[in-house]
């Protein structure tokens, strides 16, 4: 007697695409209009999906907001894994410090190219700005999933690069400063384009931003080597 295969967990054709479209529509609309200012009908229309698909996939509008948060966590974790690799920061010889400094520079370069030049980063940053202004459970999920662990990892690499304690206030603020300069080029993109005479910010413009950001990083690191200079 043949065993019947369970059917309940099988997703209908196009289900994954519909789910992804709803998430991207939610990111765009929640970011631009706010959660309360966005209707489920608007989300479904932008996603080109049936309005009932929101309840089917996420249980409702709040569940969709959490789904958008999960997408952000997954996306940034993927970028961070590529940027930080398998480097294990430890105190030790000079070659470890050099490796940590190279890792910081490489991470900064990848961060710039994602945040500044990738179109999908715009909707992520806009959504995050809304959440940071009016925190919800979605921000809790993003903070626990990427903000805190990524910041801790960068602080640990900073310790390996400089010898400064990873969990000191100065190290934590320094890392926030390094990240903050990159974020500006996304939230202030219109001002940057006008002042620079750029029509858009693509790969070549991101290269220019990354070059300056890495010089800034190198200057900060050099100040640690020669504190009295």
């Amino acid at each position: 007697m043949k065993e019947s295969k369970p059917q309940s967990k099988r997703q209908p054709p196009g289900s994954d695409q519909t789910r992804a479209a709803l998430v991207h529509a939610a990111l765009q609309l929640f970011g631009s209009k706010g959660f309360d200012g966005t209707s489920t009908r608007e989300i479904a229309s932008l996603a080109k999906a049936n309005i009932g698909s929101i309840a089917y996939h996420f249980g409702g509008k709040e569940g969709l907001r959490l789904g958008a948060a999960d997408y952000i966590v997954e996306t940034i974790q993927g970028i961070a894994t590529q940027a930080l690799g398998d480097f294990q920061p430890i105190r030790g010889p000079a070659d470890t410090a050099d490796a940590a400094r190279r890792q910081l520079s490489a991470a900064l370069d990848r961060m710039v190219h994602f945040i500044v030049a990738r179109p999908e980063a715009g909707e992520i940053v806009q959504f995050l700005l809304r959440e940071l202004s009016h925190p919800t459970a979605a921000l809790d999920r993003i903070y626990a999933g990427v903000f805190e662990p990524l910041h801790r990892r960068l602080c640990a690499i900073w310790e390996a690069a400089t010898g400064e304690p990873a969990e000191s206030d100065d190290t934590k603020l320094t890392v926030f400063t390094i990240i903050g300069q990159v974020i500006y080029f996304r939230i202030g993109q219109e001002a940057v384009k006008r002042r620079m005479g750029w029509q858009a910010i693509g790969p070549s413009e991101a290269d220019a931003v990354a070059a300056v950001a890495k010089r800034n990083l190198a200057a900060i690191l050099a100040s640690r080597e020669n504190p009295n200079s």
Side-chain angles (χ1 to χ4, degrees):
M1 182 177 177
K2 293 183 178 179
E3 294 183 3
S4 61
K5 295 181 179 179
Q7 300 296 321
S8 60
K9 294 183 180 179
R10 185 173 295 173
Q11 296 289 333
S15 180
D16 289 345
Q17 291 88 339
T18 298
R19 183 183 178 89
L22 289 170
V23 166
H24 285 289
L27 282 171
Q28 183 176 330
L29 290 171
F30 291 162
S32 61
K33 301 181 66 175
F35 183 81
D36 293 334
T38 300
S39 70
T40 53
R41 189 172 299 280
E42 287 176 296
I43 296 168
S45 176
L46 184 59
K48 295 180 171 58
N50 187 294
I51 193 169
S53 61
I54 296 174
Y56 176 79
H57 286 286
F58 301 99
K61 187 177 169 185
E62 181 59 40
L64 178 53
R65 175 158 60 181
L66 294 177
D70 289 338
Y71 168 79
I72 290 173
V73 169
E74 182 180 351
T75 300
I76 298 179
Q77 281 179 346
I79 297 296
T81 297
Q82 295 174 24
L84 299 179
D86 296 323
F87 182 82
Q88 297 297 323
I90 57 173
R91 296 181 184 179
D95 58 346
T96 299
D98 289 342
R101 290 172 181 232
R102 289 193 299 271
Q103 195 69 27
L104 287 170
S105 182
L108 185 58
D109 184 85
R110 193 173 292 273
M111 191 186 307
V112 168
H113 281 84
F114 174 73
I115 293 175
V116 174
R118 292 271 289 273
E120 63 268 35
E123 60 188 24
I124 289 175
V125 170
Q126 199 168 31
F127 180 92
L128 287 174
L129 289 174
R130 286 276 184 178
E131 283 294 317
L132 289 166
S133 298
H134 301 91
T136 70
L139 181 61
D140 295 339
R141 193 168 290 193
I142 296 167
Y143 180 81
V146 290
F147 278 4
E148 183 175 355
L150 179 57
H151 190 269
R152 284 185 183 276
R153 185 77 187 281
L154 289 170
C155 287
I157 298 175
W158 183 265
E159 178 176 344
T162 65
E164 298 173 1
E167 289 301 300
S168 70
D169 286 350
D170 189 69
T171 293
K172 287 187 282 188
L173 290 172
T174 298
V175 170
F176 274 127
T177 300
I178 292 169
I179 296 171
Q181 67 174 328
V182 180
I183 299 297
Y184 175 79
F185 284 94
R186 169 56 68 176
I187 62 176
Q189 190 172 101
E190 285 304 315
V192 172
K193 287 191 297 184
R194 294 182 188 194
R195 183 70 177 98
M196 297 301 298
W198 293 342
Q199 294 300 309
I201 297 183
S204 60
E205 289 80 11
D207 285 341
V209 173
V212 173
K214 287 189 289 185
R215 285 203 300 271
N216 291 343
L217 173 63
I220 296 172
L221 290 168
S223 73
R224 267 50 180 186
E225 292 180 344
N226 304 291
N228 296 320
S229 61

